Amino acid sequence: MIRSPAPAPTRPDTLLRQAALPALLLVTIVVTVVVPQFFPADGGPTGLDTFLEAHIHSSLDGRRWLYSMLVAPSNNSIIIPVQLIAAAWFAYRRQWWSAGFMIIGPEFAILVNSFALKPFWDRQLHHYLAYPSGHTVQLIAVVTALALVSESVRARVTVVVVMVVLLPAVLVGMVGLGYHHPTDVIGGTAAAVALVTAAYLPFRAVVLSRTQ
């Protein structure tokens, strides 16, 4: 009797990532919601904000060029080309779903943040709504999308490491230039990861259903 070949096992890293995504989504939602609970009634700095801002300004004030350099990765002139290059790379490899998500995922996060989260929390800074930080959401949304759609474990780890290195630098730059409080950046990071992950879960389900 000829036996049919056994189905190929699912890669352990894929199983781990599938199990981790709902947990990641839950944690980042909780962080996004909990951080504003510590805002003063007027939306001003929290104790953590005051502590970090004092240390940043005492250490680096007088070096505005450094602040500008640190915040640069979150600028449209850098992050949008990175997003488009990543989408083009996946399209070149005919990974059309991944290419599409590199555009749709981050844009979904940016729109929800701009038109829902910012007005809901209504934290005023200067003349704009500061929480969650829009620049942070854009940066982290692109990085998160790239990590989620990358097939290589090495690529995903590299992307996450780059994000971990860049985020503190961007935080220092934004605080130094007076763009945001640190908690705006923390909340922006959590919101971006939550929104992109929330968009990716149904995306992944559709892709799996099409490939089975």
Side-chain angles (χ1 to χ4, degrees):
M1 186 176 80
I2 300 175
R3 295 181 179 179
S4 58
T10 305
R11 294 184 309 169
D13 64 284
T14 302
L15 288 174
L16 179 61
R17 182 166 62 154
Q18 290 178 359
L21 287 181
L24 176 65
L25 176 60
L26 178 61
V27 169
T28 49
I29 289 174
V30 169
V31 172
T32 305
V33 172
V34 167
V35 168
Q37 308 310 313
F38 295 91
F39 294 168
D42 61 357
T46 65
L48 177 63
D49 291 326
T50 302
F51 174 80
L52 292 177
E53 289 169 6
H55 279 74
I56 290 171
H57 288 298
S58 65
S59 302
L60 297 176
D61 269 8
R63 300 179 180 88
R64 188 177 178 84
W65 62 270
L66 180 57
Y67 289 141
S68 299
M69 184 175 68
L70 291 174
V71 83
S74 67
N75 291 340
N76 288 339
S77 59
I78 292 180
I79 194 60
I80 291 178
V82 169
Q83 179 184 11
L84 295 178
I85 290 170
W89 169 250
F90 287 117
Y92 171 75
R93 300 183 63 189
R94 297 184 180 277
Q95 296 175 333
W96 305 115
W97 288 94
S98 297
F101 189 77
M102 277 305 307
I103 302 298
I104 296 172
E107 296 308 312
F108 168 76
I110 292 168
L111 289 173
V112 172
N113 184 59
S114 298
F115 294 103
L117 300 186
K118 279 179 175 286
F120 179 78
W121 296 118
D122 193 29
R123 189 185 204 184
Q124 301 284 337
L125 181 63
H126 307 311
H127 58 281
Y128 52 84
L129 298 174
Y131 183 87
S133 163
H135 277 76
T136 305
V137 166
Q138 183 174 24
L139 170 64
I140 302 303
V142 170
V143 173
T144 302
L146 182 56
L148 289 174
V149 299
S150 295
E151 295 181 342
S152 165
V153 176
R154 180 179 298 178
R156 291 199 297 270
V157 171
T158 300
V159 169
V160 172
V161 169
V162 169
M163 180 174 68
V164 170
V165 171
L166 284 180
L167 187 59
V170 170
L171 185 150
V172 171
M174 287 188 178
V175 170
L177 293 173
Y179 293 164
H180 284 287
H181 297 301
T183 46
D184 296 330
V185 178
I186 294 170
T189 300
V193 175
L195 290 168
V196 174
T197 303
Y200 179 74
L201 288 172
F203 165 86
R204 184 185 65 183
V206 170
V207 172
L208 290 176
S209 67
R210 292 295 183 90
T211 55
Q212 290 176 350

